[in-house]
Amino acid sequence: MGVQAATVAKGRQPAPSFTSIRGCESDALDSILQLARKIRAGGVGHSRRGLQVNLFFEASTRTRTSFEVAGRRLGLDVVNLEVASSSVSKGESLADTVRTIDAIGPDVIVVRHSRAGAPEVVAANTAASVINAGDGAREHPTQAVLDAMTLMDRFQIASMADLRGLSIAVVGDIAHSRVARSNLSLWSLAGANIRLVGPRAFLPPGFAEAGWDVHHDLENGLRGTDVVYLLRVQLERQHGQMYPSMGEYHRRYGLTKHRLERLAPDALVMHPGPVNRGVEIADELMTDDRCLIQDQVTNGVWARMAVLDFLLDRLEKVSC
Ligand code: NCD
């Protein structure tokens, strides 16, 4: 199984965790995707028992809400730790916070943190399964699962392996995007053809040299592609290396109906949200039939139910 076992908390059994796509095997990911479809079709009972703690150190609308709904729909008790009003605001370390939560006996901890690697710190200090809901600019594995599910629906394909050969252009701030990192890992595993499109400052160093298909020109990057995956310009992670202006970014890289029609008229448009309207995407495309943003959000609940169910199933088998 590719879903990693967490480092063992002292004297306890390791719990299976889902902290990154990197290192996962296609079979494990495909099982989660099939489970998500089965849950959506009503083929899985919702009678799990257990405690899920959501530990969000960063802002979130869709991810936190969908993890909460997913846990409740499975039958779990869900607690949201309000970080601003917790002991973290008094200077408690992440490890100490997690040990405190661990003593309450959670089965799953869902964590979002601005520091890459924080989910591993959590996993090292709890016997619960840990799910990474986004760590710094590193990974956001459940986003990749819900995106794969959305693509599989639209292209009416049966398994993750059938994403092979699909051409996907990722446009925007790839360097700062955890969503891009998780998706690139999943799509590479599946054998999709990936193009990376954006200004030099937004592309991670070394990618062109490592053989990735890199484009600085939107026209070449989008022509004939099956999917355009847009990324938000991560204003909060730019650290002074901003693109000259958002207006300029839109002029060169913003997706408009006109550009889509000219370069890839049948392409589907995706975006993990939150969207900067008028920057990476024109308003008019938000309600276009080719735009899958709402489907992505809807699938987020099924995908997260599947990840939770998958881990809890294995947790029962390794449990103390
Ligand atoms: C993303 C995130 O927070 O990583 N959003 C999400 O979870 N759907 C992307 C972003 O913030 O741009």
Side-chain angles (χ1 to χ4, degrees):
M1 186 177 63
V3 175
Q4 301 91 350
T7 314
V8 196
K10 225 177 175 173
R12 294 202 176 135
Q13 296 285 330
S17 289
F18 189 50
T19 57
S20 73
I21 297 288
R22 223 188 166 136
C24 279
E25 287 159 13
S26 331
D27 283 357
L29 291 170
D30 201 47
S31 304
I32 291 172
L33 285 160
Q34 302 304 338
L35 181 59
R37 287 178 148 184
K38 207 158 138 195
I39 292 173
R40 180 172 60 189
V44 174
H46 295 175
S47 50
R48 285 273 175 205
R49 292 182 54 187
L51 174 63
Q52 171 187 336
V53 177
N54 294 336
L55 196 51
F56 277 60
F57 291 87
E58 267 193 349
S60 172
T61 308
R62 64 216 85 217
T63 305
R64 201 182 92 163
T65 311
S66 76
F67 264 114
E68 181 162 354
V69 172
R72 288 189 198 285
R73 281 203 189 150
L74 281 176
L76 300 174
D77 292 322
V78 184
V79 171
N80 294 304
L81 187 92
E82 299 303 334
V83 171
S85 56
S86 75
S87 301
V88 174
S89 66
K90 299 180 189 164
E92 188 176 68
S93 73
L94 177 59
D96 283 340
T97 303
V98 173
R99 276 187 221 116
T100 304
I101 294 169
D102 187 62
I104 294 163
D107 299 280
V108 183
I109 298 178
V110 179
V111 61
R112 168 169 285 196
H113 201 286
S114 59
R115 254 188 14 238
E120 279 74 15
V121 174
V122 176
N125 288 286
T126 181
S129 282
V130 176
I131 302 177
N132 179 5
D135 62 329
R138 190 183 71 137
E139 281 247 18
H140 192 352
T142 59
Q143 181 71 41
V145 173
L146 72 91
D147 287 336
M149 187 181 179
T150 307
L151 285 171
M152 285 163 64
D153 285 351
R154 266 305 171 112
F155 289 103
Q156 299 186 332
I157 56 181
S159 78
M160 192 181 112
D162 299 328
L163 294 172
R164 173 168 295 281
L166 198 72
S167 126
I168 307 173
V170 188
V171 184
D173 190 1
I174 297 165
H176 297 99
S177 174
R178 54 194 175 205
V179 170
R181 278 191 181 72
S182 289
N183 267 323
L184 294 184
S185 295
L186 188 149
W187 296 333
S188 301
L189 263 184
N193 295 323
I194 306 164
R195 305 177 198 172
L196 308 181
V197 188
R200 242 165 258 282
F202 284 3
L203 294 175
F207 266 56
E209 296 73 11
W212 288 84
D213 186 11
V214 170
H215 298 265
H216 300 301
D217 173 64
L218 191 73
E219 306 256 323
N220 292 331
L222 292 201
R223 206 175 299 280
T225 193
D226 299 312
V227 180
V228 185
Y229 196 100
L230 299 171
L231 294 171
R232 184 173 69 87
V233 177
Q234 306 255 320
L235 297 170
E236 74 279 20
R237 294 192 215 284
Q238 297 288 326
H239 307 303
Q241 310 158 23
M242 278 269 303
Y243 198 70
S245 78
M246 291 302 102
E248 176 62 15
Y249 182 84
H250 185 67
R251 251 190 316 285
R252 288 199 55 198
Y253 295 100
L255 191 66
T256 61
K257 217 171 194 157
H258 178 69
R259 275 183 166 152
L260 190 62
E261 249 123 59
R262 200 160 52 81
L263 300 170
D266 298 324
L268 301 171
V269 179
M270 299 174 78
H271 190 306
V275 167
N276 291 319
R277 284 175 189 247
V279 180
E280 62 266 5
I281 185 168
D283 222 21
E284 69 207 14
L285 274 178
M286 293 292 291
T287 48
D288 192 284
D289 280 348
R290 290 164 290 190
C291 178
L292 306 185
I293 296 175
Q294 292 301 101
D295 298 349
Q296 290 172 267
V297 177
T298 305
N299 282 335
V301 176
W302 307 120
R304 289 172 177 129
M305 284 176 80
V307 170
L308 285 163
D309 202 57
F310 185 89
L311 292 178
L312 288 169
D313 222 31
R314 274 144 192 84
L315 190 62
E316 275 172 18
K317 291 179 189 126
V318 294
S319 221
C320 7

